[in-house]
Amino acid sequence: MTFYSFARSLVNSVLSPIYRIEVIGKENMPADGGVLLCANHIDNLDPPVVGITAPRPVHFMAKEELFSVPLLGKIVPHLNAFPVKRGMSDREALRKGLGILKDGKVLGLFPEGTRSKTGEMGKGLAGAGFFALRSEAHVVPCAIIGPYKAFKKLKVVYGKPIDMESIKEKKLNAEQTTDLIMSEIQALINKYK
C-alpha cells in the first residue's frame, strides 16, 4: 500500500462520517488518460475531500508556503502535491502540471486560486484554461457544495467531461476557456444545491 492510499483511507474514515459526504457523478471521471479536474474552492478541506472522493489518485498544485511548514512540508509531496508560486507565472509548476496530464494522470486544480470567503464562486485564473488548451486531457468540472458543518451533508459532484474539441475550434484563449470551465462548475452547483 502506498502512502497516498494509506492517507486517503485514513482521511476518508475521519471526514466521511463527520461531513456525511455524498458523491454524485463519479462515473463521469474517465477511467484512463489525462484528466484536468477543476473544482470550486470553499474550504481548506477541499483538497482532501476531492482526494478521497475522486475515483483515481489526484495530483494537486499547492501553494509553495505549505512545503515549508514543519512536518506538513515533509508529508505534502507524498500526497501527490507539488508547489506553485502564487501571484506570478510559475513556469516550473506549469511544466510539472502538463507532464502529469501527458502521463495520463489526474491533475486537480482550484481555478479560483484561493478559497472563497463568501461561499460564492470567484473568477477563475487563466491557468485552468492554459492546461485545458495545451493538453489532450479530459476536463472534468467538480462542484463542492457545503457548508462544512459537522453532520450536515456535504456534496461533491463530478460533471461530464467538457467538450474541448468545440472549444479549440472556437479558438478561445486561456481566460475564456477558464470562464467556460467555471460556468460548468456553477451549473453543477445550481443543479445540486
Side-chain angles (χ1 to χ4, degrees), residues 50-72:
V50 171
I52 63 174
T53 59
R56 294 171 57 190
V58 182
H59 298 256
F60 284 106
M61 272 187 167
K63 59 184 179 183
E64 71 172 345
E65 296 84 4
L66 291 178
F67 292 81
S68 54
V69 174
L71 189 63
L72 184 62

Side-chain angles (χ1 to χ4, degrees), residues 66-87:
L66 291 178
F67 292 81
S68 54
V69 174
L71 189 63
L72 184 62
K74 301 268 186 259
I75 296 171
V76 174
H78 298 289
L79 299 174
N80 293 349
F82 62 97
V84 62
K85 295 179 180 83
R86 296 196 302 174

Side-chain angles (χ1 to χ4, degrees), residues 6 12 22 24 27 35 41 52 66 98 103 117 141 145 148 152 167 173 180 182 188 191:
F6 165 74
N12 187 32
E22 178 186 1
I24 300 166
E27 68 283 356
V35 173
H41 201 0
I52 63 174
L66 291 178
L98 285 173
D103 290 345
K117 304 285 185 274
I145 304 168
Y148 278 86
K152 294 255 192 226
I167 290 172
N173 65 25
L180 193 137
M182 297 304 281
L188 292 174
K191 182 175 180 180

Side-chain angles (χ1 to χ4, degrees), residues 4-105:
Y4 181 90
S5 41
F6 165 74
R8 186 179 176 194
S9 55
L10 181 68
V11 170
N12 187 32
S13 67
V14 174
L15 295 184
S16 285
I18 292 175
Y19 296 111
R20 297 179 52 222
I21 298 172
E22 178 186 1
V23 185
I24 300 166
K26 238 182 192 181
E27 68 283 356
N28 290 325
M29 172 85 77
D32 47 34
V35 173
L36 179 63
L37 180 60
C38 296
N40 59 316
H41 201 0
I42 59 173
D43 195 277
N44 281 331
L45 290 173
D46 293 339
V49 163
V50 171
I52 63 174
T53 59
R56 294 171 57 190
V58 182
H59 298 256
F60 284 106
M61 272 187 167
K63 59 184 179 183
E64 71 172 345
E65 296 84 4
L66 291 178
F67 292 81
S68 54
V69 174
L71 189 63
L72 184 62
K74 301 268 186 259
I75 296 171
V76 174
H78 298 289
L79 299 174
N80 293 349
F82 62 97
V84 62
K85 295 179 180 83
R86 296 196 302 174
M88 62 180 79
S89 177
D90 184 344
R91 290 180 189 279
E92 183 54 38
L94 295 175
R95 267 197 297 275
K96 175 86 173 153
L98 285 173
I100 287 166
L101 295 171
K102 191 175 180 202
D103 290 345
K105 296 175 182 168

